[in-house]
Amino acid sequence: GLGESISTNVPWRTQNEPQPMGDAESNTAFLDEIPSPRDLYKGMDEYVIGQHDVKVALSVGVHNHYKRVAMHLRRQVAEFQEDVS
């Protein structure tokens, strides 16, 4: 899932020890797998009865949060690549 990808593929997950970089595309591939608000809504619909407005708000909010995280990680990878070259 997305959470697993974030914790295992981010090369700077610990600040004290260097992590193998691999290639930047494989380290950020999970960023293209951000679930749509509709998919998030369907997932919540399996467990939450009713609460349509809340599920809509949460699904859009979570989707936007993941997009912001992805954008931040892409910038960090780009900056790292510039520093290495």
Side-chain angles (χ1 to χ4, degrees):
L2 186 59
E4 290 174 1
S5 297
I6 290 173
S7 65
T8 59
N9 287 339
V10 176
W12 46 85
R13 68 178 178 257
T14 62
Q15 295 178 358
N16 297 332
E17 61 182 90
Q19 298 295 323
M21 272 301 292
D23 97 30
E25 286 183 23
S26 66
N27 286 326
T28 59
F30 71 94
L31 299 177
D32 297 326
E33 301 173 11
I34 296 172
S36 70
R38 180 167 287 147
D39 291 337
L40 292 166
Y41 182 94
K42 287 178 184 176
M44 284 187 276
D45 218 17
E46 292 180 25
Y47 299 98
V48 179
I49 299 170
Q51 304 294 324
H52 170 76
D53 293 341
V54 174
K55 289 187 281 190
V56 167
L58 277 173
S59 60
V60 170
V62 168
H63 175 79
N64 288 339
H65 172 74
Y66 278 140
K67 282 177 34 179
R68 282 190 300 276
V69 168
M71 188 181 334
H72 177 72
L73 292 175
R74 283 186 180 111
R75 278 192 203 127
Q76 285 186 332
V77 168
E79 289 173 8
F80 180 79
Q81 288 176 329
E82 287 176 8
D83 290 345
V84 170
S85 352

